[in-house]
Amino acid sequence: MIEESARGSRAELLDVHRLRLVETAAPRLTPEERFAMNRVWDAKVRANPSFFDGPVLVCAGARREGPDELTVSWVRTTYRHFALRRVPFATSWLPSFFVSVLQPTDDGRLLVGRMSNSTAAPGRWQLPGGSLEPPEGDAPLDLAALHRHAARELIEETGIDARPDDLTLWNVARAGNGGIGVLFRAPSLPEARLRERFEAMAAAERAQGREPELDDIVLIHSTAQLPLLAGPHADYLEPIVRRYETSHGAERA
């Protein structure tokens, strides 16, 4: 059984290709947890006024249902909940539930982006993607919804416009803090087109007085290049790149 109690463990790929998504009730915060959470959140907003306490989903647990199927329990909350990570005595803390997109070039390199100073993880290198948001109205949270969200994250962060149906479910990652990330692979693109889209997106954001979520991108072909990326890395980046490197080598063979 895979649990959010894996907080502090090593990030890994779970090698599942079928998902079942189940909504569950949010844990009840103690008055002490709520007070501490609000105090941490308010301090973060004062330091970075771009933070917005919008709706978000978190992961309440994950368990295997077979060799390649995973059931993920999810909870509706707001971004303020993530402030509980900085409350040492909090027991109601739940990790992220997110999507990430592997965007290859025609020659097999993989796009990695650096989070800008306006984000919650400035300077961190990761794949394009982000936390999931609750479905609208009575719409279900299913794999099709995850495809749509991944496509939206890709265009917002890189300017690359991929249709949801163009994205292929690639794998599922578990971060070291227990967060669950659903990984999609986008169709390959020429490097020139990829860079052109990113630069146009970044220029359009800055023209509107906003900093893009990714302030730089690099194209890598192996884990050997990860140490060249100065700054922190998402802990699930290394196993993803390692698996991509292996699978891409097998495809070329």
Side-chain angles (χ1 to χ4, degrees), residues 165-214:
D165 290 346
D166 291 335
L167 303 180
T168 303
L169 179 62
W170 188 76
N171 210 320
V172 176
R174 183 181 66 183
N177 62 14
I180 294 294
V182 182
L183 311 175
F184 294 91
R185 179 170 174 169
S188 300
L189 289 175
E191 177 184 353
R193 185 178 177 188
L194 188 155
R195 293 191 180 278
E196 177 185 1
R197 294 289 180 90
F198 176 75
E199 291 167 4
M201 177 281 300
E205 286 292 292
R206 293 183 174 120
Q208 295 294 320
R210 298 187 296 264
E211 187 67 16
E213 289 189 58
L214 299 180

Side-chain angles (χ1 to χ4, degrees), residues 83 85 155:
R85 294 175 178 177
I155 191 170

Side-chain angles (χ1 to χ4, degrees), residues 222-246:
S222 72
T223 54
Q225 295 177 283
L226 290 177
L228 303 178
L229 305 180
H233 301 175
D235 64 355
Y236 46 86
L237 182 60
E238 190 274 341
I240 290 173
V241 175
R242 185 175 300 281
R243 178 64 60 83
Y244 172 79
E245 178 184 3
T246 301

Side-chain angles (χ1 to χ4, degrees), residues 30 124 133 153:
T30 67
R124 185 175 73 183
E133 297 175 0
E153 291 286 346

Side-chain angles (χ1 to χ4, degrees), residues 53-200:
D53 192 23
V56 70
L57 303 185
V58 292
C59 176
R63 66 179 185 274
R64 289 188 182 274
E65 302 290 353
D68 66 346
E69 184 173 353
L70 188 73
T71 294
V72 179
S73 300
W74 57 272
V75 168
R76 298 173 191 259
T77 184
T78 69
Y79 279 95
R80 183 184 300 264
H81 176 88
F82 291 132
L84 282 174
R85 294 175 178 177
R86 300 184 179 273
V87 178
F89 60 83
T91 60
S92 302
W93 178 89
L94 294 176
S96 300
F97 187 22
F98 60 95
V99 292
S100 290
V101 181
L102 287 78
Q103 175 61 68
T105 58
D106 284 348
D107 63 2
R109 288 174 294 167
L110 194 63
L111 182 151
V112 179
R114 185 178 65 192
M115 300 293 283
S116 73
N117 289 333
S118 65
T119 67
R124 185 175 73 183
W125 292 93
Q126 61 182 55
L127 299 179
S131 296
L132 287 161
E133 297 175 0
E136 297 182 2
D138 295 328
L141 183 70
D142 54 16
L143 188 56
L146 269 57
H147 275 263
R148 293 192 296 271
H149 192 87
R152 185 166 69 248
E153 291 286 346
L154 184 64
I155 191 170
E156 289 178 354
E157 295 189 355
T158 69
I160 298 168
D161 187 7
R163 297 180 305 174
D165 290 346
D166 291 335
L167 303 180
T168 303
L169 179 62
W170 188 76
N171 210 320
V172 176
R174 183 181 66 183
N177 62 14
I180 294 294
V182 182
L183 311 175
F184 294 91
R185 179 170 174 169
S188 300
L189 289 175
E191 177 184 353
R193 185 178 177 188
L194 188 155
R195 293 191 180 278
E196 177 185 1
R197 294 289 180 90
F198 176 75
E199 291 167 4

Side-chain angles (χ1 to χ4, degrees), residues 27-40:
R28 186 181 298 274
L29 273 61
T30 67
E32 293 79 12
E33 286 177 324
R34 188 171 299 279
F35 176 81
M37 176 186 71
N38 290 336
R39 184 176 59 185
V40 172

